[in-house]
PDB file of all heavy atoms in Angstrom:
ATOM      1  N   GLY F 371     -16.876   3.053  -9.841  1.00 85.00           N
ATOM      2  CA  GLY F 371     -17.434   2.128 -10.814  1.00 85.00           C
ATOM      3  C   GLY F 371     -16.428   1.571 -11.792  1.00 85.00           C
ATOM      4  O   GLY F 371     -15.217   1.669 -11.633  1.00 85.00           O
ATOM      5  N   LEU F 372     -16.983   0.986 -12.854  1.00 90.00           N
ATOM      6  CA  LEU F 372     -16.238   0.278 -13.891  1.00 90.00           C
ATOM      7  C   LEU F 372     -16.652   0.828 -15.239  1.00 90.00           C
ATOM      8  O   LEU F 372     -17.831   1.132 -15.467  1.00 90.00           O
ATOM      9  CB  LEU F 372     -16.569  -1.224 -13.811  1.00 90.00           C
ATOM     10  CG  LEU F 372     -16.237  -2.100 -15.023  1.00 90.00           C
ATOM     11  CD1 LEU F 372     -14.737  -2.374 -15.076  1.00 90.00           C
ATOM     12  CD2 LEU F 372     -17.010  -3.414 -14.964  1.00 90.00           C
ATOM     13  N   SER F 373     -15.707   0.990 -16.143  1.00 89.00           N
ATOM     14  CA  SER F 373     -16.041   1.365 -17.511  1.00 89.00           C
ATOM     15  C   SER F 373     -15.236   0.509 -18.475  1.00 89.00           C
ATOM     16  O   SER F 373     -14.119   0.081 -18.174  1.00 89.00           O
ATOM     17  CB  SER F 373     -15.768   2.848 -17.766  1.00 89.00           C
ATOM     18  OG  SER F 373     -14.386   3.147 -17.601  1.00 89.00           O
ATOM     19  N   VAL F 374     -15.811   0.239 -19.640  1.00 90.00           N
ATOM     20  CA  VAL F 374     -15.199  -0.579 -20.679  1.00 90.00           C
ATOM     21  C   VAL F 374     -15.115   0.247 -21.951  1.00 90.00           C
ATOM     22  O   VAL F 374     -16.052   0.982 -22.289  1.00 90.00           O
ATOM     23  CB  VAL F 374     -16.013  -1.863 -20.929  1.00 90.00           C
ATOM     24  CG1 VAL F 374     -15.446  -2.650 -22.102  1.00 90.00           C
ATOM     25  CG2 VAL F 374     -16.035  -2.731 -19.666  1.00 90.00           C
ATOM     26  N   SER F 375     -13.996   0.162 -22.656  1.00 86.00           N
ATOM     27  CA  SER F 375     -13.829   0.942 -23.872  1.00 86.00           C
ATOM     28  C   SER F 375     -13.006   0.159 -24.887  1.00 86.00           C
ATOM     29  O   SER F 375     -12.453  -0.898 -24.590  1.00 86.00           O
ATOM     30  CB  SER F 375     -13.143   2.280 -23.567  1.00 86.00           C
ATOM     31  OG  SER F 375     -11.854   2.063 -23.009  1.00 86.00           O
ATOM     32  N   GLN F 376     -12.969   0.691 -26.090  1.00 84.00           N
ATOM     33  CA  GLN F 376     -12.133   0.166 -27.186  1.00 84.00           C
ATOM     34  C   GLN F 376     -12.389  -1.307 -27.476  1.00 84.00           C
ATOM     35  O   GLN F 376     -11.474  -2.073 -27.759  1.00 84.00           O
ATOM     36  CB  GLN F 376     -10.645   0.389 -26.867  1.00 84.00           C
ATOM     37  CG  GLN F 376     -10.285   1.849 -26.666  1.00 84.00           C
ATOM     38  CD  GLN F 376      -8.829   2.058 -26.294  1.00 84.00           C
ATOM     39  OE1 GLN F 376      -8.113   1.119 -25.959  1.00 84.00           O
ATOM     40  NE2 GLN F 376      -8.368   3.297 -26.357  1.00 84.00           N
ATOM     41  N   LEU F 377     -13.651  -1.709 -27.448  1.00 90.00           N
ATOM     42  CA  LEU F 377     -13.976  -3.094 -27.794  1.00 90.00           C
ATOM     43  C   LEU F 377     -13.722  -3.342 -29.277  1.00 90.00           C
ATOM     44  O   LEU F 377     -14.063  -2.513 -30.129  1.00 90.00           O
ATOM     45  CB  LEU F 377     -15.434  -3.397 -27.462  1.00 90.00           C
ATOM     46  CG  LEU F 377     -15.786  -3.781 -26.021  1.00 90.00           C
ATOM     47  CD1 LEU F 377     -17.248  -4.168 -25.934  1.00 90.00           C
ATOM     48  CD2 LEU F 377     -14.914  -4.923 -25.503  1.00 90.00           C
ATOM     49  N   HIS F 378     -13.154  -4.489 -29.589  1.00 92.00           N
ATOM     50  CA  HIS F 378     -12.936  -4.896 -30.967  1.00 92.00           C
ATOM     51  C   HIS F 378     -13.033  -6.414 -31.033  1.00 92.00           C
ATOM     52  O   HIS F 378     -12.888  -7.095 -30.009  1.00 92.00           O
ATOM     53  CB  HIS F 378     -11.565  -4.430 -31.467  1.00 92.00           C
ATOM     54  CG  HIS F 378     -10.431  -4.908 -30.591  1.00 92.00           C
ATOM     55  ND1 HIS F 378     -10.013  -4.220 -29.465  1.00 92.00           N
ATOM     56  CD2 HIS F 378      -9.645  -6.021 -30.662  1.00 92.00           C
ATOM     57  CE1 HIS F 378      -9.019  -4.874 -28.886  1.00 92.00           C
ATOM     58  NE2 HIS F 378      -8.777  -5.974 -29.592  1.00 92.00           N
ATOM     59  N   SER F 379     -13.284  -6.938 -32.196  1.00 93.00           N
ATOM     60  CA  SER F 379     -13.453  -8.384 -32.310  1.00 93.00           C
ATOM     61  C   SER F 379     -13.046  -8.846 -33.702  1.00 93.00           C
ATOM     62  O   SER F 379     -12.871  -8.043 -34.625  1.00 93.00           O
ATOM     63  CB  SER F 379     -14.910  -8.782 -32.045  1.00 93.00           C
ATOM     64  OG  SER F 379     -15.743  -8.374 -33.111  1.00 93.00           O
ATOM     65  N   THR F 380     -12.895 -10.181 -33.831  1.00 94.00           N
ATOM     66  CA  THR F 380     -12.708 -10.764 -35.154  1.00 94.00           C
ATOM     67  C   THR F 380     -14.037 -10.663 -35.924  1.00 94.00           C
ATOM     68  O   THR F 380     -15.060 -10.253 -35.362  1.00 94.00           O
ATOM     69  CB  THR F 380     -12.261 -12.225 -35.035  1.00 94.00           C
ATOM     70  OG1 THR F 380     -13.218 -12.947 -34.241  1.00 94.00           O
ATOM     71  CG2 THR F 380     -10.899 -12.311 -34.360  1.00 94.00           C
ATOM     72  N   LEU F 381     -14.039 -11.029 -37.187  1.00 91.00           N
ATOM     73  CA  LEU F 381     -15.207 -10.783 -38.043  1.00 91.00           C
ATOM     74  C   LEU F 381     -15.773 -12.059 -38.658  1.00 91.00           C
ATOM     75  O   LEU F 381     -16.210 -12.080 -39.808  1.00 91.00           O
ATOM     76  CB  LEU F 381     -14.827  -9.783 -39.151  1.00 91.00           C
ATOM     77  CG  LEU F 381     -14.361  -8.405 -38.676  1.00 91.00           C
ATOM     78  CD1 LEU F 381     -13.895  -7.557 -39.848  1.00 91.00           C
ATOM     79  CD2 LEU F 381     -15.479  -7.707 -37.905  1.00 91.00           C
ATOM     80  N   MET F 382     -15.785 -13.130 -37.898  1.00 93.00           N
ATOM     81  CA  MET F 382     -16.371 -14.372 -38.387  1.00 93.00           C
ATOM     82  C   MET F 382     -17.892 -14.275 -38.408  1.00 93.00           C
ATOM     83  O   MET F 382     -18.493 -13.527 -37.624  1.00 93.00           O
ATOM     84  CB  MET F 382     -15.942 -15.543 -37.506  1.00 93.00           C
ATOM     85  CG  MET F 382     -14.466 -15.871 -37.565  1.00 93.00           C
ATOM     86  SD  MET F 382     -14.041 -17.176 -36.381  1.00 93.00           S
ATOM     87  CE  MET F 382     -15.168 -18.475 -36.893  1.00 93.00           C
ATOM     88  N   ALA F 383     -18.519 -15.040 -39.286  1.00 93.00           N
ATOM     89  CA  ALA F 383     -19.978 -15.132 -39.330  1.00 93.00           C
ATOM     90  C   ALA F 383     -20.407 -16.472 -38.757  1.00 93.00           C
ATOM     91  O   ALA F 383     -19.766 -17.494 -38.988  1.00 93.00           O
ATOM     92  CB  ALA F 383     -20.467 -15.002 -40.771  1.00 93.00           C
ATOM     93  N   CYS F 384     -21.493 -16.447 -37.985  1.00 94.00           N
ATOM     94  CA  CYS F 384     -22.005 -17.661 -37.339  1.00 94.00           C
ATOM     95  C   CYS F 384     -23.522 -17.698 -37.484  1.00 94.00           C
ATOM     96  O   CYS F 384     -24.116 -16.844 -38.155  1.00 94.00           O
ATOM     97  CB  CYS F 384     -21.620 -17.690 -35.861  1.00 94.00           C
ATOM     98  SG  CYS F 384     -19.842 -17.759 -35.553  1.00 94.00           S
ATOM     99  N   ALA F 385     -24.141 -18.675 -36.820  1.00 95.00           N
ATOM    100  CA  ALA F 385     -25.601 -18.764 -36.830  1.00 95.00           C
ATOM    101  C   ALA F 385     -26.205 -17.466 -36.298  1.00 95.00           C
ATOM    102  O   ALA F 385     -25.629 -16.796 -35.442  1.00 95.00           O
ATOM    103  CB  ALA F 385     -26.051 -19.949 -35.978  1.00 95.00           C
ATOM    104  N   GLN F 386     -27.388 -17.128 -36.814  1.00 95.00           N
ATOM    105  CA  GLN F 386     -28.018 -15.858 -36.458  1.00 95.00           C
ATOM    106  C   GLN F 386     -28.214 -15.711 -34.956  1.00 95.00           C
ATOM    107  O   GLN F 386     -28.031 -14.630 -34.381  1.00 95.00           O
ATOM    108  CB  GLN F 386     -29.364 -15.731 -37.179  1.00 95.00           C
ATOM    109  CG  GLN F 386     -30.041 -14.383 -36.985  1.00 95.00           C
ATOM    110  CD  GLN F 386     -29.226 -13.233 -37.543  1.00 95.00           C
ATOM    111  OE1 GLN F 386     -28.577 -13.377 -38.566  1.00 95.00           O
ATOM    112  NE2 GLN F 386     -29.245 -12.100 -36.855  1.00 95.00           N
TER     113      GLN F 386
END
Side-chain angles (χ1 to χ4, degrees):
L372 163 76
S373 62
V374 175
S375 61
Q376 301 178 348
L377 277 185
H378 56 274
S379 71
T380 56
L381 299 175
M382 293 175 56
C384 297
Q386 186 62 36

